[in-house]
Amino acid sequence: MRMKPSRNLLLGLCSMLALGFLYYSSGRISLRGWSHKSLYDKQGFLVKLESNLPLELLYKYDNLSEGACKPGFAAAKMTAIYPKFNKLAPIFLDPNYKRFSKIGDYSPPFGVKSHERIIDILLAATKKYGLGEELDSLSCKTCIIVGNGGILVNKSLGQRIDEFDVVIRLNEAPVKGFEKDVGSKTTMRITYPEGAIQRMERYEAQSLFVLSAFKAQDFNWLRHMVFNQRLHSTDGFWKSVAKQVPREPSDMRILNPYFIQEASFKLIGLPHNNGQMGRGNIPTLGAVAITMALHNCDEVSVVGFGYNMSTPYAPLHYYEKIRMSAIKESWTHNISKEKEFLMKLVRAGVIQDMTNGICSAGC
Ligand SMILES: *[C@@H]1O[C@H](CO)[C@@H](O)[C@H](O)[C@H]1NC(C)=O
Ligand SMILES: *[C@@H]1O[C@H](CO)[C@@H](O)[C@H](O)[C@H]1NC(C)=O
Ligand SMILES: *[C@@H]1O[C@H](CO)[C@@H](O)[C@H](O)[C@H]1NC(C)=O
Ligand SMILES: *[C@@H]1O[C@H](CO)[C@@H](O)[C@H](O)[C@H]1NC(C)=O
């Protein structure tokens, strides 16, 4: 049977319409993809970063008196430049840590996989999982992370540092003798075994001792410290480690490894390497501490981060004589990629850099 000409025409029209629609929608999709790319970078940060407050935040914070703590400020600004940000991630592991699904799938340093048993033992012994009653009950917390950079020398920022609710120090960075520049208050000291203070008299009188575990052996080390056991073997450490930590178990904590995972894979964009520690995919402790603070502090400031490249003979650390020019390429860290991330935070005003080292070469 012959088809009627009008039917042929109709069929032809239909297929043309369908083709046209496909063409149109594929164009739209790629157009969308394109405009999406132009607004956000590979990590998901807004490309055009401005330190001005978005209108809705301006309304919320503008009436607060100068210097008053702004509730929710860091997370709100972070979300404004990085929409994927989800504030919920507690600072320390607590007995219900298995509810954080994201850390159960990864081995250290990105998670807790196959170390649950020792962690349960540690948490049962420390019995405390917060910052302490006073700080936990604050409705607005200001935090400062004191980096170890030589850029802190002779800036006399000690007094201003001590005014923060939470002062976070890293590894063995000393306080005694450096109070004028680095302050005297320490809320917590985050460290890994190789970075922990080795001389007992150097520990400050009060502060939380916080382990940031980078490898399996680190949990075992903390067990020796918590139960005050002699450490016989130093196998598995890359340099000598503290044999004792003069702290009660109730003053010891385990940093939530989610911050290492998030800093590395999401915020900085280091190689995933199947979720294993590998070349150039470990964030520095400073970047990890900043990531933690974005989730848990209302306002976040930093000092002692970054290097002033125009002063190669300045000290690398504020407490040592090693010069900046001695800095070596690191196998584990990717300093330049990490700096890009920190620069975004400073440029957008998510964090305040009181020593201007992060943007020393412009932002
Ligand atoms: C801020 O102050 C203005 C003028 O005094 C007022 O109209 C506005 O409601 C205030 N905003 C908030 C969030 O309190
Ligand atoms: C810091 O000040 C002291 C005393 O004025 C000076 O001797 C030292 O060289 C200064 N250090 C740096 C790194 O500027
Ligand atoms: C750091 O990242 C950049 C860009 O992804 C890469 O080219 C470089 O090799 C990395 N460096 C290290 C030490 O992994
Ligand atoms: C870096 O060093 C130069 C030369 O000493 C100095 O002029 C500049 O202010 C320093 N920058 C910062 C951020 O400290």
Side-chain angles (χ1 to χ4, degrees), residues 151 155 307-312 314 353 355-361:
I151 200 160
K155 297 275 198 320
Y307 311 107
N308 187 342
M309 287 307 175
S310 41
T311 55
D353 180 6
T355 37
N356 298 317
I358 292 170
C359 287
S360 62

Side-chain angles (χ1 to χ4, degrees), residues 10-214:
L10 210 68
L11 272 173
L13 213 72
C14 273
S15 53
M16 257 169 72
L17 265 172
L19 268 174
F21 177 74
L22 270 176
Y23 184 74
Y24 170 75
S25 49
S26 70
R28 266 177 67 98
I29 287 165
S30 66
L31 210 73
R32 255 240 211 80
W34 179 79
S35 69
H36 179 80
K37 231 185 221 162
S38 75
L39 276 183
Y40 296 96
D41 66 16
K42 224 164 56 188
Q43 266 61 65
F45 283 89
L46 210 57
V47 170
K48 236 179 116 201
L49 296 175
E50 290 177 30
S51 62
N52 295 346
L53 278 174
L55 215 56
E56 68 276 13
L57 296 187
L58 203 63
Y59 179 77
K60 185 170 175 196
Y61 294 121
D62 221 26
N63 289 4
L64 291 178
S65 55
E66 182 88 31
C69 181
K70 304 184 195 62
F73 182 81
K77 281 229 79 169
M78 183 67 178
T79 309
I81 64 161
Y82 180 77
K84 284 188 276 182
F85 188 71
N86 176 5
K87 189 174 183 298
L88 287 175
I91 311 179
F92 308 120
L93 294 187
D94 62 45
N96 293 318
Y97 68 92
K98 283 166 196 146
R99 74 185 183 279
F100 318 143
S101 53
K102 286 165 188 148
I103 60 172
D105 300 337
Y106 288 91
S107 307
F110 308 111
V112 296
K113 191 174 164 187
S114 65
H115 294 83
E116 289 86 350
R117 221 186 121 244
I118 189 166
I119 290 172
D120 289 344
I121 294 170
L122 286 167
L123 295 178
T126 64
K127 292 189 180 69
K128 289 192 178 167
Y129 319 103
L131 288 173
E133 245 168 78
E134 199 184 325
L135 286 172
D136 287 337
S137 65
L138 285 182
S139 57
C140 193
K141 280 192 287 289
T142 60
C143 302
I144 186 162
I145 298 117
V146 183
N148 300 349
I151 200 160
L152 266 167
V153 174
N154 290 351
K155 297 275 198 320
S156 301
L157 287 168
Q159 222 170 357
R160 284 182 62 198
I161 290 170
D162 285 343
E163 283 166 10
F164 283 78
D165 298 315
V166 175
V167 179
I168 299 159
R169 299 184 194 275
L170 309 173
N171 282 332
E172 62 195 338
V175 167
K176 213 170 162 193
F178 299 90
E179 291 90 342
K180 189 163 158 290
D181 287 327
V182 308
S184 53
K185 174 174 173 178
T186 306
T187 312
M188 71 175 89
R189 186 176 278 284
I190 307 177
T191 176
Y192 41 82
E194 294 88 346
I197 298 175
Q198 300 204 10
R199 284 168 51 187
M200 297 304 106
E201 70 275 13
R202 291 234 179 118
Y203 278 85
E204 50 271 305
Q206 275 183 331
S207 71
L208 294 176
F209 181 87
V210 181
L211 172 75
S212 180
F214 280 87

Side-chain angles (χ1 to χ4, degrees), residues 266-282:
K266 294 185 179 172
L267 303 177
I268 309 176
L270 299 174
H272 188 267
N273 195 37
N274 291 322
Q276 301 295 314
M277 183 193 278
R279 183 184 162 81
N281 79 350
I282 307 299

